[in-house]
Amino acid sequence: MLGRLLPDLTTALNARQAFVAAARETARGKYLEITAAHPAADLRGRRLPWRELFADLIEDSRPRVIDPLGEETPDVIAGLELFNATEAILVRAQGVTGNRVVGICNKRDAEAGPYLASDGRVLDNIIELVAIGARVGERHTQELQSVHRTSTAVSAEYELDRLLPMISRQAAACSGRRRPASCCGTRLRKTWSSRPAMGCQIRWTAADSKDVIMQQVERLGGYQPVFTPRLSQGDGRRPDGIERGASRPEVSAPLLTSGR
Amino acid sequence: MIGLLNIYCEDEQRDFTPDQADLTMIYANQVAIAVRNAR
């Protein structure tokens, strides 16, 4: 998505080149890998050496405008030797799976004046808007991959002690929280069986309290997922059972089988 | 209804969104299928 913007960015900002590079880290160190470049598309896959400039940009996310005014033979910017860049604007694009650096290099028309801080802000705003959309796309991709993994597991595995914690873990991981917890409880023949999966230390042993919750989920949600705060409506109190803390956000989804 | 899939977070007060609840429902349906298969 970012790569498709590069031709227009070079035109709008009077640049000769533009690139998108993903921050990578291996056991041998960090580097930037070019994922898109304009006009030299064949630079894709090439690496830019890790420099303090990139580290600081990714750390604080402030756009960097580098334009050595008045120098007849300005130095090439350290890290951007591949573009032979003597002037550049660099911004960060934050994704779900990592950071990217978007840069434009070298003015096409030298008479047009220097790059200004306002140029950096313009590029930063454009890239941030695109990055917001990209993050949504990345999250949905991760969710679909996760659902596919669990679907495959359900088709191939019949052992509930392995399956239920795995599915609960995937559900928690896709919750958008840094430290989610999940627990799956089933009630068969009036006996509760719970399987804490991720960060959850509570076993559902009090069958009566879980039945109360299930009744309220049925009443309030109509077989839809229910936010626990809604459970406290009506009688003015939260049901006992699932949680110790009284105010944490929570969502409960009913396990439905056909005809029940 | 044969059970519940419950997701919560101790250290964030931000409520879950309807989209996240829908996704949880997808996983809950998979759990229900797994339980049915195990029978």
Side-chain angles (χ1 to χ4, degrees), chain A residues 146 150-151 175 177-179 181-183 185 187-188 214 225 227 242 247-256, chain B residues 1-16 20-21 23 25 27-28 30 32 34 37 39:
Chain A
S146 171
T150 52
S151 298
S175 67
R177 306 298 147 115
R178 279 192 297 276
R179 294 172 56 196
S182 64
C183 189
R187 183 193 58 177
L188 300 173
M214 283 186 43
F227 302 98
I242 293 179
S247 60
R248 68 188 179 200
E250 197 165 319
V251 60
S252 299
L255 309 184
L256 304 173
Chain B
M1 189 160 81
I2 58 166
L4 294 170
L5 175 61
N6 180 246
I7 310 289
Y8 65 89
C9 188
E10 294 281 8
D11 54 1
E12 280 186 61
Q13 292 306 307
R14 188 164 44 101
D15 280 335
F16 287 96
Q20 289 166 341
L23 188 61
M25 191 69 209
Y27 290 109
Q30 293 187 333
N37 289 346
R39 287 176 183 169

Side-chain angles (χ1 to χ4, degrees), chain A residues 57-59 61 90-94 99-102 124 127:
Chain A
L57 172 67
I58 287 173
E59 175 69 23
S61 80
L90 302 173
V91 300
R92 181 189 75 169
Q94 191 175 32
N99 287 297
R100 290 172 176 78
V101 171
V102 179
D124 191 42
I127 296 303

Side-chain angles (χ1 to χ4, degrees), chain A:
Chain A
M1 190 184 291
L2 289 169
R4 291 167 62 182
L5 285 178
L6 296 183
D8 289 335
L9 289 177
T10 54
T11 302
L13 290 163
N14 182 34
R16 290 186 186 280
Q17 301 134 303
F19 68 90
V20 181
R24 309 277 194 223
E25 185 169 6
T26 66
R28 299 175 65 180
K30 296 180 179 178
Y31 63 93
L32 291 180
E33 179 184 344
I34 296 173
T35 57
H38 176 79
D42 58 340
L43 291 179
R44 184 174 176 172
R46 299 282 295 274
R47 294 183 179 189
L48 302 178
W50 191 253
R51 293 285 184 258
E52 195 175 343
L53 172 65
F54 303 139
D56 291 345
L57 172 67
I58 287 173
E59 175 69 23
D60 65 28
S61 80
R62 286 188 296 108
R64 298 303 199 270
V65 179
I66 306 161
D67 195 335
L69 292 171
E71 294 184 25
E72 287 189 9
T73 54
D75 294 334
V76 173
I77 300 166
L80 297 180
E81 293 84 356
L82 195 61
F83 298 97
N84 199 30
T86 56
E87 51 218 4
I89 302 176
L90 302 173
V91 300
R92 181 189 75 169
Q94 191 175 32
V96 173
T97 55
N99 287 297
R100 290 172 176 78
V101 171
V102 179
I104 63 161
C105 307
N106 298 323
K107 284 193 287 284
R108 191 172 49 228
D109 177 9
E111 302 302 315
Y115 284 137
L116 303 173
S118 56
D119 296 321
R121 286 196 295 274
V122 167
L123 182 61
D124 191 42
N125 287 335
I126 293 170
I127 296 303
E128 177 55 18
L129 287 174
V130 176
I132 288 170
R135 284 196 291 273
V136 172
E138 280 183 280
R139 259 195 296 277
H140 285 319
T141 300
Q142 288 180 332
E143 290 168 4
L144 287 172
Q145 289 170 339
S146 171
V147 169
H148 181 256
R149 270 195 299 276
T150 52
S151 298
T152 304
V154 167
S155 303
E157 172 72 68
Y158 292 93
E159 181 52 58
L160 288 181
D161 284 336
R162 280 199 290 268
L163 265 181
L164 269 48
M166 180 264 189
I167 297 172
S168 300
R169 206 164 43 243
Q170 293 288 327
C174 287
S175 67
R177 306 298 147 115
R178 279 192 297 276
R179 294 172 56 196
S182 64
C183 189
C184 177
T186 50
R187 183 193 58 177
L188 300 173
R189 297 185 185 86
K190 296 194 174 182
T191 301
W192 273 95
S193 171
S194 68
R195 291 172 177 82
M198 187 174 183
C200 179
Q201 303 300 318
I202 305 165
R203 280 200 169 271
W204 292 356
T205 54
D208 290 344
S209 64
K210 292 298 162 296
D211 284 341
V212 169
I213 291 168
M214 283 186 43
Q215 287 164 16
Q216 295 202 36
V217 167
E218 280 183 319
R219 180 165 58 83
L220 293 171
Y223 299 100
Q224 296 297 313
V226 165
F227 302 98
T228 298
R230 291 184 62 193
L231 291 169
S232 66
Q233 294 174 356
D235 60 6
R237 65 180 178 83
R238 294 167 65 87
D240 297 329
I242 293 179
E243 75 290 340
R244 293 193 186 100
S247 60
R248 68 188 179 200
E250 197 165 319
V251 60
S252 299
L255 309 184
L256 304 173
T257 56
S258 57
R260 301 185 67 177

